[in-house]
Amino acid sequence: MSAEPEQGASPADVTEAEEVTDTEAKGAVSAPGPDGPKKTTRRFPLLTRDTARPEGGGRAAGGDAPAPARQWPLLSVLLMVGLGLLLTAFDVFRAGTILVGLALIGGAVLRWALPGVGMLAVRSRFTDMVTYGGLGAVIVLLALMAQPDGLQVPFLDGILHFTISS
């Protein structure tokens, strides 16, 4: 008996017993289960029963540790960003924004160095490192260029004058 429905038959016509006895699955096949390979479809199910574990779902500390200890890489980056924003609010603009940029660069270093960084992992390791490091470097560079007595970067100064004069 085959699990394939006949021409014109709906998938509901195939009974559970017929699906289990079919060991030769044709078409899209998922990983073999305890009863052999199962036929699957590429369509999303109407009722979701499970989700794929994201890469960032891994913990930075053991499962028996409290939640803040498991997420220490993310919390350290967030605390540094918060301190930088607090400094910026208290009119220490340059030091505050440099601290925010360094926190992002630190996040990139943590993402590169540690195998499990908890929720600090959002995308692939490479994409996270480039995003955190690039944004952190741009924030630090712009903070250093802020007036008065800012860093002079000729090509950025030319871009700024071009955009203002246009």
Side-chain angles (χ1 to χ4, degrees):
M1 196 185 284
S2 172
E4 290 282 292
E6 285 128 60
Q7 193 73 2
S10 70
D13 294 339
V14 179
T15 64
E16 184 73 14
E18 288 176 334
E19 286 183 22
V20 172
T21 58
D22 187 350
T23 57
E24 254 186 65
K26 296 178 178 125
V29 177
S30 68
D35 300 325
K38 297 274 187 186
K39 289 181 53 151
T40 62
T41 178
R42 295 182 71 183
R43 293 184 181 173
F44 289 108
L46 294 176
L47 179 66
T48 303
R49 293 191 178 97
D50 195 13
T51 58
R53 183 179 172 127
E55 184 182 345
R59 296 179 173 152
D64 56 342
R70 290 193 309 258
Q71 298 298 332
W72 71 266
L74 176 67
L75 289 175
S76 63
V77 171
L78 286 178
L79 286 174
M80 284 182 62
V81 168
L83 182 63
L85 291 175
L86 188 65
L87 287 174
T88 303
F90 285 125
D91 215 18
V92 189
F93 171 75
R94 190 175 307 227
T97 51
I98 287 174
L99 189 59
V100 169
L102 290 177
L104 289 174
I105 292 172
V109 169
L110 286 173
R111 186 70 174 104
W112 172 73
L114 298 176
V117 290
M119 289 175 24
L120 188 63
V122 178
R123 298 157 294 265
S124 70
R125 184 179 302 262
F126 176 77
T127 304
D128 281 343
M129 288 175 10
V130 169
T131 303
Y132 295 149
L135 286 175
V138 166
I139 290 172
V140 168
L141 184 66
L142 291 175
L144 290 174
M145 289 180 61
Q147 299 294 331
D149 304 324
L151 180 67
Q152 298 297 322
V153 180
F155 72 91
L156 289 178
D157 199 32
I159 291 172
L160 179 65
H161 289 298
F162 175 75
T163 56
I164 291 175
S165 66
S166 296

